[in-house]
Amino acid sequence: MSEKRTDARNVRTGSHTVRVSRPEKELFPDDGITKWDLVEYYRSLSRRIIPQLRGRPLMMERHPDGIGGKPLMQKNAPDHFPDWVRRAVLPKEGGEVTHVVCDDTATLLYLADQACVTPHRWLSRADRPDHPDRLVFDLDPPSSGESGFEEVRWTARRCCGLLGELGLPGLLMTTGSRGLHVIVPLDRRADFDTVRAFARDAADLLAARHPDRLTTEPRKAKRRGRLYLDIQRNAYAQTAVSPYGVRARPGAPVATPIDARELDDPELRADRWTLRTVGERLADDPWARTDTRGRSLRGPRERLKRLAEGEG
């Protein structure tokens, strides 16, 4: 457990000083993890996290009363946020939202001081919000226990295999919650409707290849124990947990990038790495070994169409 601190503490980073109020406040009471621990975690990993957040509107998952209290899922940047915290005013149906954009370590630490345990990022950047640079397949287990997560592993292998057939990379990440994300970097030429249609067609092909194990049926009652290939995040203003984001769950698990080879690791779980243990992975970045430049969907869409027609 961290040493108790009763006074506010100042953290200097770049040209800004972040005042951390009530650093001793336990955000994860059962684990003794305090607000100061959260601030220190995000400071230590800022070089990994900031490139994943830079330029993106955020939704802040705040837990001012700790993870046992009611969370605040906050999109609007409050007026009391410092002027140096970047904002992006973006349209929504019937109005607009002023989002926080986390471009630097000071902003990340300020959000931690606001008990923002988890930053959820848009799949697009603020300068072209209708054109995503990430596509996400969200794979959650169809049942609890090891057998459920084994289905996630199995599906992630097939998903990455299909992406390989289409000439696209698949970046893998534990969500820190229940499952895995398979992420495709895009070149921002296609809009959300195009990207979502591509993701849906890819999911349909996977489900057609493995109808006994996979489904695109959104209604749980009709899935019959099959894993749901969730592509719903691929839409304007939808968000996904950021890589290395802490989750508001017991143990403070962390969304962690992994290598495809780790799918064969029997110890792999969605919540395997935590705020206290993820440091063991920092000497090696699994995504650094992958070509993460944004890809066009033009060629993959044609290849996907031919595959679907050939297997239909």
Side-chain angles (χ1 to χ4, degrees):
M1 183 180 296
S2 299
E3 176 187 353
K4 294 294 184 180
R5 299 176 173 87
T6 57
D7 299 325
R9 291 174 63 87
N10 292 331
V11 181
R12 182 73 179 178
T13 177
S15 60
H16 302 295
T17 298
V18 177
R19 181 178 183 273
V20 180
S21 63
R22 299 186 64 196
E24 81 292 348
K25 170 68 179 179
E26 290 190 333
L27 299 181
F28 296 77
D30 292 343
D31 302 289
I33 295 174
T34 66
K35 186 195 288 187
W36 183 251
D37 293 323
L38 186 70
V39 169
E40 287 283 82
Y41 167 79
Y42 279 125
R43 179 164 65 171
S44 68
L45 269 77
S46 63
R47 290 187 179 181
R48 291 283 180 89
I49 298 173
I50 295 301
Q52 302 294 336
L53 298 178
R54 186 174 287 119
R56 300 178 186 278
L58 298 183
M59 179 176 70
M60 300 170 285
E61 182 182 341
R62 297 177 57 210
H63 292 265
D65 298 319
I67 66 169
K70 185 176 180 180
L72 300 176
M73 307 303 287
Q74 190 167 357
K75 296 181 179 180
N76 265 306
D79 292 339
H80 65 80
F81 275 26
D83 291 343
W84 48 260
V85 172
R86 182 182 166 194
R87 278 88 158 166
V89 180
L90 297 173
K92 68 171 185 177
E93 186 175 353
E96 59 186 25
V97 178
T98 302
H99 290 271
V100 168
V101 179
C102 185
D103 284 346
D104 53 35
T105 301
T107 299
L108 184 62
L109 302 189
Y110 182 81
L111 296 181
D113 173 61
Q114 299 297 304
C116 175
V117 172
T118 313
H120 297 267
R121 64 178 186 168
W122 279 38
L123 303 185
S124 59
R125 297 179 186 270
D127 60 337
R128 298 186 70 193
D130 294 310
H131 290 73
D133 65 352
R134 293 292 184 270
L135 180 158
V136 175
F137 295 95
D138 187 4
L139 310 179
D140 281 338
S143 59
S144 60
E146 291 186 10
S147 61
F149 193 73
E150 180 54 40
E151 286 297 293
V152 174
R153 298 171 186 262
W154 184 90
T155 304
R157 294 188 192 102
R158 272 70 192 172
C159 188
C160 288
L162 175 58
L163 291 172
E165 292 179 64
L166 301 175
L168 293 171
L171 304 178
L172 288 161
M173 182 181 77
T174 68
T175 63
S177 180
R178 300 179 62 236
L180 298 173
H181 282 176
V182 181
I183 303 167
V184 181
L186 303 175
D187 63 3
R188 303 209 296 172
R189 294 183 181 179
D191 61 17
F192 266 114
D193 288 344
T194 302
V195 172
R196 187 181 179 90
F198 174 85
R200 184 184 301 111
D201 290 345
D204 286 341
L205 180 56
L206 279 174
R209 286 179 171 181
H210 309 285
D212 295 334
R213 300 181 73 164
L214 303 177
T215 182
T216 56
E217 174 55 61
R219 289 168 291 186
K220 291 184 178 180
K222 293 193 174 184
R223 294 177 192 169
R224 303 194 304 276
R226 297 170 293 174
L227 187 143
Y228 172 50
L229 297 165
D230 188 355
I231 55 91
Q232 301 302 319
R233 296 180 186 277
N234 298 289
Y236 178 83
Q238 295 298 304
T239 62
V241 61
S242 170
Y244 299 106
V246 179
R247 306 309 302 270
R249 298 170 66 90
V254 171
T256 308
I258 63 172
D259 186 276
R261 292 170 294 183
E262 293 182 272
L263 292 174
D264 297 323
D265 183 348
E267 296 185 4
L268 182 67
R269 304 185 310 276
D271 59 355
R272 178 175 177 180
W273 292 282
T274 70
L275 176 150
R276 287 174 167 151
T277 66
V278 75
E280 67 193 36
R281 296 179 60 82
L282 298 185
D284 181 33
D285 181 359
W287 288 1
R289 297 189 296 271
T290 304
D291 184 356
T292 58
R293 61 188 171 87
R295 306 301 179 89
S296 169
L297 287 182
R298 182 174 300 176
R301 286 171 65 193
E302 291 301 316
R303 288 190 283 273
L304 179 58
K305 181 179 179 181
R306 289 196 297 269
L307 281 175
E309 290 173 348
E311 298 178 22

